[in-house]
Amino acid sequence: MPVFKTPFNGYAVRFSPFYENRILVATAQNFGILGNGRLHILDLNPSGGISEVRSFDTADGVYDCAWSESHDSLAVAAVADGSLKLWDAALPPSANPIRSLKEHAREVHAVDWNPVRRDSFISASWDDSLKLWTLDRPTSIRTFREHAYCVYSAAWSPRHADVFASASGDCTARVWDVRDPSSSLVIPAHDHEILSCDWNKYDDCFLATSSVDKTVRVWDVRASRAPVATLAGHGYAVRRIKFSPHHENLLLSCSYDMTVCVWDYRAEDALLARYDHHTEFAVGVDMSVLVEGLLASTGWDELVYVWQHGTDPRAMP
Amino acid sequence: MATEGGGDENPQTKGPELSQPASGIARSEPTDGSQQRSPFITSEPLREDQVQNAVKFLSHPKVRGSPVIYRRSFLERKGLTKEEIDEAFLRVPDPSPNATTAETVSTRQANQVSPSTSLQPQASVQTAPPVASQVGAVSLTPMSQKPRFNWSHALIAIGVLSASGAGSAVIFKRVVLPRLKAWIRRVAMEDKEERATKSLAEETAEAAKAAASAAAIVATASQELLNSKNEDRKYFEAFMGMIDVQVKEMKSMSEAIHKLEKAREQEKLIDEYVQYATSNGTSNNSWKPSQANHTLLNQVRVNGTSTTSYGAEGQSLAPAPAPAPASVEPTTASHPKSYMEIMAMVQRGEKPPNIKEINDTPPNPNQPPSKPLIAPRTKENGQSQDISSEPWWRKKSVKITELEPEGEEPLRQLTTNDRPASQRTWVPPQPPSVAIPESAAAIRHPKPSPPIPDLSSGDEKMSKSSMNSNVVSQQSEIEEVEEKDDGV
């Protein structure tokens, strides 16, 4: 399976919803502590390699990235200086970035594009707030300020156009509706900071959260008192989770124990596969919507892997 | 008591029956020798007309009913002498046989009893004087009655008096004493009640205080427990961080040693080659060592990547072969800084060396995005282009036979649970309306209650509100108890 070496430490990877062989990689220099950042657009070559199509430099590290659901060449990056930058790969570098949206007071840690409405995206920041943006406005439409600590992740619901979830360092996950002034649901999901959250793509009531306490918990938002499932198996904090777009119960996670795990949260023995190809913190994962079973991961070892579920990521195709 | 006159004059007189004639004789005689007997007997002769008037007076039925004393006093006031009065009494048919002697007896008794009779209408508690007075009254009115009646009358009087006394005593006992006792009891009960209520209130106050203090103790204990738990967690995290640091350092050290060995090997090889080249001529000088270096450098790099350790990046070539004349690959800047080193640098205020100044502001803030080449995919479009020549990322199992069954089985199991094949690729559903920028950006109108989040949020809110109300009610209860404490 091909590997791509990024110059900086990887932070996030995203498959394009338009091209099945295109991925977006967010990286930051010096582990994201201090330094520049770079956004890569990579293509999977049919011959087996990964090549870079475009890359964009930023003054500060890029913590997360997302493809636009409306434009095939548009991408947004969450930058550590508190701004969101939009790039259009179809335009020449002199015209990029096309937008710089700076409103957050602290680092923007996550960004997610609305897959239903396709015109708006949400950003989650360490200044305890989330902001809703659209492409045509230079300022944010709404600010959601309820968390008591850094918001680490935000995820749009795949079914409901205005519903999204956020995960925060105040140990709660919240479900919001854009039309409501305050959050619709507060789940005290873990006893430690929650690093990531994602919705089940088939059952719109199921939300998964992952935390510093090394577990992934799946919640039913209709009955959020107790989790539906608790997936333990990682050795350190679970950094990012993703529900599979192809299988209802499948869940992908990556952790600071340098492994990427695949889970079936409805099974007795939930852990299906474990990939330990990284040699540093595994920080970003994604599952392709267009190709079933295609996984991508990146980590602080500056490598990006793309492989099929069930195969060895380090093996050459 | 014997009368003086009668006794002195006639010691032979036996009873009151003979007292009349004796007293008559006594009266008659003193007319002759009154000076001998007593000074009280008058020496004047009886006036007949006075006597007759007295008889007429005494014969009057009304006078008959009056006490003898009154008749005598009336007659005396009229000026009659004692003899005349006696004579009149003699002549008047007297029903009581002991009239004469009884007169004298009664006069003296009356004189003696009169003060006592005055006391008669007074307090009936005194039995003796009423008895004597009644005896006297009874004896005066019926003059001709026999002395026995006096005794029976006295007995009856005694009986009546005693009965009345007893009755009064009984009444007193029945009425007055109970009232007194009731009053005393009431007073006593009030005291007891006061004491009882006081003790009850005191007990509840004490119990409430004890409960409050216990709750406070429990709260402090739980708070301390929480604090200690937090501290433990902090220590643990710090400890883990330190272990990580140590591990990193150890790995970097081992890698550094590795590289040093390799570098030494390289140097040896280079020396050998140089010697060989010099020995063989100078024509191959330029490229052979460089080629050797190239291969060696490749080796080093490959080795480096395959054994990349925790802290060092694959590019670390710090112990680069120094004697290499011209390194083919551009050695990157020194890069072996681990996470902790960079953190330390930042904390010290130093900037890591590899940061560049980048201007990432948009040159045209209003740059419109380019037109999309591909429309957003819909659910109908399944797996399209290039099925024939499957690119590598579509192949589900590549070469590795061991993983094949493992990889396939879970997928097979899962695919059976899947939806039908036509919907296998998940594509987000189309938005309900066309994405007009204005409507997209505008604030949506408030929706009717959304089904899913509201139910749960409603439950959450209700449970939270009930919890809050419980807490509030508990607080209010504690406050009430405290108020009672204060009151009591």
Side-chain angles (χ1 to χ4, degrees):
Chain A
M1 294 298 153
V3 177
F4 185 81
K5 174 88 179 54
T6 57
F8 302 148
N9 306 100
Y11 257 86
V13 63
R14 291 265 196 171
F15 281 100
S16 169
F18 293 93
Y19 303 107
E20 61 183 35
N21 61 338
R22 182 160 288 188
I23 58 174
L24 189 67
V25 180
T27 61
Q29 202 178 26
N30 297 324
F31 306 96
I33 299 169
L34 186 68
N36 306 122
R38 187 169 292 177
L39 193 67
H40 300 264
I41 298 178
L42 307 177
D43 266 355
L44 309 174
N45 301 327
S47 57
I50 302 180
S51 57
E52 186 180 280
V53 174
R54 296 287 294 276
S55 74
F56 305 105
D57 284 325
T58 54
D60 217 336
V62 182
Y63 283 161
D64 199 5
C65 53
W67 285 104
S68 163
E69 297 276 341
S70 57
H71 289 78
D72 62 326
S73 56
L74 206 58
V76 63
V79 186
D81 61 359
S83 67
L84 285 134
K85 297 228 166 19
L86 280 129
W87 280 280
D88 192 336
L91 294 175
S94 57
N96 272 314
I98 60 170
R99 296 282 189 276
S100 174
L101 309 166
K102 181 148 177 56
E103 273 189 33
H104 280 293
R106 288 198 62 192
E107 292 84 334
V108 185
H109 195 82
V111 65
D112 196 28
W113 203 284
N114 192 329
V116 181
R117 290 204 185 271
R118 302 201 179 143
D119 60 350
S120 49
F121 52 97
I122 197 95
S123 65
S125 164
W126 285 358
D127 66 356
D128 316 346
S129 71
L130 299 110
K131 281 185 190 286
L132 177 69
W133 312 80
T134 52
L135 201 52
D136 51 350
R137 275 210 186 176
T139 55
S140 63
I141 299 173
R142 275 207 61 189
T143 303
F144 304 92
R145 196 177 299 273
E146 264 188 36
H147 281 292
Y149 200 53
C150 308
V151 189
Y152 288 119
S153 173
W156 286 99
S157 168
R159 277 286 159 84
H160 301 280
D162 298 312
V163 174
F164 66 92
S166 66
S168 163
D170 65 0
C171 313
T172 64
R174 282 173 204 257
V175 177
W176 308 75
D177 190 313
V178 163
R179 299 163 284 187
D180 285 341
S182 61
S183 59
S184 309
L185 179 63
V186 180
I187 309 175
H190 295 266
D191 292 331
H192 293 81
E193 299 189 13
I194 306 176
L195 298 181
S196 178
C197 60
D198 195 29
W199 293 90
N200 191 319
K201 307 292 188 284
Y202 285 88
D203 193 338
D204 52 2
C205 296
F206 282 88
L207 177 70
T209 59
S210 74
S211 164
V212 172
D213 67 0
K214 314 174 211 168
T215 63
V216 177
R217 286 194 182 161
V218 183
W219 303 85
D220 186 343
V221 294
R222 297 164 295 198
S224 63
R225 286 222 166 264
V228 169
T230 302
L231 310 174
H234 276 298
Y236 286 104
V238 186
R239 183 63 158 82
R240 201 179 293 255
I241 48 174
K242 269 275 173 180
F243 263 105
S244 165
H246 300 277
H247 300 285
E248 186 174 352
N249 305 335
L250 216 60
L251 180 61
L252 187 68
S253 70
C254 70
S255 159
Y256 288 168
D257 66 356
M258 306 187 244
T259 63
V260 174
C261 289
V262 182
W263 310 82
D264 177 356
Y265 75 90
R266 288 218 185 263
E268 262 310 308
D269 195 8
L271 184 62
L272 294 181
R274 186 194 287 263
Y275 304 98
D276 57 350
H277 45 282
H278 281 289
T279 55
E280 266 280 0
F281 288 179
V283 173
V285 275
D286 197 16
M287 297 189 74
S288 174
V289 170
L290 305 170
V291 181
E292 182 184 338
L294 196 61
L295 314 174
S297 77
T298 183
W300 281 5
D301 56 358
E302 302 170 355
L303 297 171
V304 180
Y305 288 92
V306 182
W307 75 102
Q308 259 296 335
H309 170 51
T311 64
D312 184 8
R314 279 176 284 196
M316 303 310 284
Chain B
M1 17 186 232
T3 57
E4 293 177 16
D8 290 338
E9 296 169 5
N10 299 315
Q12 292 175 358
T13 57
K14 291 180 183 178
E17 296 168 31
L18 297 173
S19 62
Q20 287 179 5
S23 63
I25 298 165
R27 276 194 217 116
S28 63
E29 285 185 4
T31 53
D32 296 331
S34 64
Q35 294 167 349
Q36 296 171 3
R37 291 199 191 115
S38 75
F40 298 103
I41 299 168
T42 56
S43 60
E44 291 178 4
L46 289 171
R47 296 166 280 176
E48 194 54 46
D49 54 348
Q50 295 282 354
V51 171
Q52 281 179 4
N53 286 337
V55 168
K56 283 177 197 166
F57 165 73
L58 291 170
S59 307
H60 200 278
K62 225 178 182 182
V63 176
R64 286 281 186 99
S66 70
V68 176
I69 302 159
Y70 290 162
R71 292 177 227 162
R72 284 203 157 258
S73 62
F74 174 76
L75 293 173
E76 284 172 5
R77 258 186 274 134
K78 292 296 169 189
L80 269 72
T81 63
K82 212 159 178 300
E83 288 89 5
E84 290 162 355
I85 293 167
D86 292 339
E87 183 63 30
F89 273 104
L90 260 174
R91 292 183 191 177
V92 169
D94 199 359
S96 60
N98 55 354
T100 52
T101 53
E103 287 170 12
T104 54
V105 170
S106 62
T107 49
R108 290 211 184 130
Q109 282 183 354
N111 288 332
Q112 291 169 359
V113 167
S114 60
S116 64
T117 56
S118 65
L119 293 170
Q120 186 182 6
Q122 284 181 1
S124 60
V125 181
Q126 300 168 359
T127 56
V131 172
S133 64
Q134 283 183 12
V135 166
V138 168
S139 61
L140 276 173
T141 47
M143 278 187 266
S144 60
Q145 282 179 354
K146 294 185 179 173
R148 262 183 218 167
F149 276 104
N150 287 339
W151 287 114
S152 65
H153 276 296
L155 283 170
I156 290 165
I158 288 164
V160 170
L161 281 171
S162 63
S164 72
S168 65
V170 164
I171 287 166
F172 174 71
K173 274 187 197 170
R174 273 193 199 167
V175 173
V176 176
L177 281 180
R179 278 190 195 167
L180 190 69
K181 279 184 190 170
W183 179 73
I184 291 168
R185 237 177 255 152
R186 196 163 24 100
V187 171
M189 283 302 292
E190 279 177 6
D191 283 338
K192 277 187 201 168
E193 274 174 10
E194 282 179 5
R195 273 179 227 150
T197 52
K198 270 188 184 173
S199 65
L200 265 175
E202 282 175 0
E203 278 172 17
T204 53
E206 285 174 8
K209 276 180 189 167
S213 64
I217 289 167
V218 164
T220 51
S222 65
Q223 188 72 30
E224 286 174 359
L225 203 68
L226 199 72
N227 289 341
S228 66
K229 192 175 145 195
N230 284 342
E231 284 179 17
D232 282 344
R233 184 159 54 105
K234 283 177 194 164
Y235 286 139
F236 175 73
E237 284 174 3
F239 189 69
M240 288 303 299
M242 283 159 60
I243 286 178
D244 288 349
V245 169
Q246 292 212 351
V247 164
K248 278 179 200 166
E249 287 186 10
M250 277 168 52
K251 280 192 180 172
S252 67
M253 278 167 57
S254 70
E255 201 205 351
I257 290 168
H258 228 44
K259 280 173 191 160
L260 281 170
E261 287 177 2
K262 294 246 165 70
R264 265 191 226 149
E265 284 179 18
Q266 281 177 29
E267 283 181 22
K268 279 187 197 168
L269 287 169
I270 288 162
D271 288 338
E272 285 178 14
Y273 272 116
V274 165
Q275 286 170 5
Y276 178 71
T278 51
S279 66
N280 286 354
T282 60
S283 61
N284 297 332
N285 258 0
S286 58
W287 64 269
K288 266 200 176 169
S290 63
Q291 202 183 36
N293 287 345
H294 184 62
T295 53
L296 285 170
L297 285 168
N298 272 341
Q299 258 185 3
V300 169
R301 200 182 315 125
V302 165
N303 287 340
T305 50
S306 63
T307 61
T308 305
S309 63
Y310 198 74
E313 284 64 43
Q315 287 175 347
S316 60
L317 291 168
S327 54
V328 178
E329 303 290 315
T331 54
T332 59
S334 62
H335 203 15
K337 302 231 187 277
S338 70
Y339 181 85
M340 299 310 295
E341 287 178 19
I342 291 178
M343 285 294 289
M345 278 181 72
V346 167
Q347 279 163 6
R348 271 178 272 143
E350 296 172 17
K351 228 177 157 189
N354 45 7
I355 298 177
K356 293 179 208 165
E357 287 298 322
I358 292 172
N359 177 22
D360 56 0
T361 54
N364 177 12
N366 300 321
Q367 174 77 40
S370 60
K371 281 196 175 174
L373 295 170
I374 300 179
R377 293 210 176 191
T378 59
K379 270 196 175 171
E380 283 73 32
N381 294 344
Q383 296 166 352
S384 58
Q385 67 253 33
D386 279 343
I387 300 174
S388 56
S389 62
E390 264 209 340
W392 57 266
W393 58 80
R394 285 195 176 277
K395 289 179 190 168
K396 291 213 177 141
S397 59
V398 181
K399 281 185 189 175
I400 292 151
T401 53
E402 293 168 7
L403 283 171
E404 243 185 79
E406 288 175 17
E408 298 246 5
E409 275 177 10
L411 283 174
R412 271 192 228 125
Q413 287 169 2
L414 292 162
T415 49
T416 52
N417 297 336
D418 269 349
R419 296 182 177 187
S422 60
Q423 287 182 334
R424 276 181 74 188
T425 55
W426 169 77
V427 176
Q430 290 287 342
S433 59
V434 177
I436 305 169
E438 293 170 5
S439 69
I443 298 166
R444 337 268 183 212
H445 19 263
K447 61 191 188 335
S449 57
I452 293 133
D454 231 13
L455 278 175
S456 50
S457 67
D459 288 340
E460 286 280 333
K461 281 174 194 164
M462 273 180 62
S463 62
K464 276 185 185 167
S465 64
S466 67
M467 273 179 62
N468 283 338
S469 66
N470 278 343
V471 168
V472 166
S473 63
Q474 280 177 10
Q475 284 178 355
S476 61
E477 280 177 8
I478 293 170
E479 285 173 0
E480 284 176 8
V481 167
E482 285 177 355
E483 283 177 2
K484 275 185 191 167
D485 282 353
D486 294 336
V488 168

